[in-house]
Amino acid sequence: MTEPKAPEAFDEAAASLRMTPAVLAVPGVTGLSPGLRDLVATAAARVMRREGGEPPSVDVRTTREGVHVRVDAHLDASRSVSGVVDDLFEIIARDLQDADLRSVGDIDIDLRIVSRSS
Amino acid sequence: MSDETSKETDAHLRAVIEEYMGSFEPDPAESAGLRDRILRIVREDASLAPSTRLTTERGNAFRISTATVRGIIRDAVDSVDGIRARSVNPKPVGDPEGSAVEVVLTVAMRAGISFAPTAEAVRRRVAESLIGELGIPATSIDITAEDVFVPGGDEGATGAAGAAGAEDAAGAATEEAEGVARAEGVATEEADDD
């Protein structure tokens, strides 16, 4: 029987690094919008007049309940929104399953379509 | 209305800010009121775009900016000759929630066109667009003609005040629109039955 891993054992940054290009490669996705962490980092940089602003990425964080993935995506009009959404869910779920997610907990995917250009 | 503000709760935002602040040690002189200032900026940014919660046929829930949904519907309405979209209100419905949408529209129509067949064309276009562009079906599409316009005139000015020389045409179209508004109830009920 597999021992449950502590949430800290899941590498959020590595998961984000893996998922970001995979998400951007989904046909119909043209870019990512800043998620909450990016917004906070940018706001902090503004307040402190520092350099800031990593390129927007898939936001991955772990809690006791499981892994939360937030994607704020811009789409083009080449496909139906639902088709892109289903692909994104599949890619994210597959990535997390490859990372042995059963030991980390539930998957919560918060996907927001910010814009869709024609 | 279907709008769901994208504003995150302050508690959640504060948690993200705390996490971020834990990743570096700011100069104490800089950090006075820092969290509140960051919270204010992020809250403003995060609340800019209302979103609509929908669910794909496979059961994947997502949010999409309401402006995007409105844009898809508006383009479909405007593609029908003689009709211009005014207010566009999509509302997520269905089981699971958001697996379909109800649409309530108000439109301006060109003077002299027959509303009933045009309204059916609008319903068809909107339903096709919602399936084709969003992948989400419409359960009902209610259309109310709230104004008429005369080609070449100022659109929207004729219904209430009447443009010079166009009052007769506008008046006739208004009567027709009112007549069709009564028929609209029937058409809407039919659409609801679909």
Side-chain angles (χ1 to χ4, degrees):
Chain A
M1 189 175 153
T2 312
E3 283 291 312
K5 288 182 190 171
E8 300 82 50
F10 183 81
D11 190 337
E12 299 172 350
S16 176
L17 272 177
R18 269 196 326 270
M19 274 184 222
T20 299
V23 161
L24 287 169
V26 170
V29 176
T30 57
L32 295 175
S33 201
L36 273 185
R37 284 183 177 180
D38 293 320
L39 283 175
V40 167
T42 305
R46 276 170 60 189
V47 168
M48 294 186 290
R49 296 183 176 84
R50 286 183 178 175
E51 291 292 316
E54 292 290 311
S57 58
V58 173
D59 189 9
V60 183
R61 66 190 170 90
T62 50
T63 64
R64 290 190 182 283
E65 289 76 36
V67 178
H68 304 268
V69 179
R70 175 165 169 149
V71 179
D72 292 78
H74 297 281
L75 307 186
D76 62 27
S78 61
R79 304 174 62 198
S80 83
V81 172
S82 288
V84 177
V85 167
D86 286 337
D87 282 358
L88 288 172
F89 269 78
E90 192 178 325
I91 278 173
I92 292 167
R94 195 187 309 145
D95 181 281
L96 293 174
Q97 279 155 10
D98 288 348
D100 192 15
L101 194 70
R102 284 171 303 169
S103 58
V104 185
D106 294 335
I107 306 173
D108 171 40
I109 301 173
D110 181 8
L111 172 58
R112 193 166 71 100
I113 307 304
V114 181
S115 72
R116 185 171 184 265
S117 56
S118 47
Chain B
M1 262 298 296
S2 62
D3 286 4
E4 167 196 301
T5 67
S6 61
K7 194 162 102 177
E8 306 288 338
T9 64
D10 280 5
H12 181 45
L13 278 177
R14 283 186 189 280
V16 176
I17 291 169
E18 284 305 319
E19 183 190 317
Y20 176 79
M21 297 295 284
S23 65
F24 71 100
E25 301 243 346
D27 183 335
E30 280 186 319
S31 64
L34 193 59
R35 287 169 175 78
D36 283 340
R37 282 187 286 163
I38 294 172
L39 176 66
R40 197 165 53 243
I41 291 171
V42 174
R43 202 164 43 195
E44 285 167 4
D45 278 354
S47 63
L48 285 178
S51 57
T52 298
R53 189 177 289 275
L54 298 173
T55 305
T56 70
E57 203 174 347
R58 289 194 210 166
N60 294 321
F62 66 102
R63 290 177 293 152
I64 181 168
S65 72
T66 304
T68 299
V69 180
R70 285 193 173 124
I72 289 170
I73 297 169
R74 190 175 292 279
D75 287 348
V77 173
D78 290 348
S79 72
V80 176
D81 183 44
I83 295 289
R84 295 288 174 266
R86 287 284 180 82
S87 65
V88 175
N89 292 307
K91 179 184 173 189
V93 294
D95 184 18
E97 179 79 13
S99 57
V101 287
E102 278 179 5
V103 180
V104 177
L105 297 170
T106 63
V107 299
M109 57 184 288
R110 191 172 61 225
I113 67 167
S114 178
F115 185 80
T118 308
E120 276 313 303
V122 170
R123 285 196 180 91
R124 228 176 6 254
R125 292 273 173 88
V126 170
E128 286 168 1
S129 278
L130 286 171
I131 282 286
E133 306 287 312
L134 269 184
I136 304 289
T139 54
S140 69
I141 301 166
D142 291 347
I143 306 166
T144 302
E146 66 171 17
D147 205 352
V148 293
F149 64 91
V150 177
D154 285 342
E155 188 176 322
T158 56
E167 286 185 358
D168 288 346
T174 303
E175 285 173 17
E176 185 183 0
E178 285 171 355
V180 181
R182 288 192 291 274
E184 177 203 338
V186 176
T188 301
E189 285 167 17
E190 287 170 357
D192 287 342
D193 289 338
D194 288 343

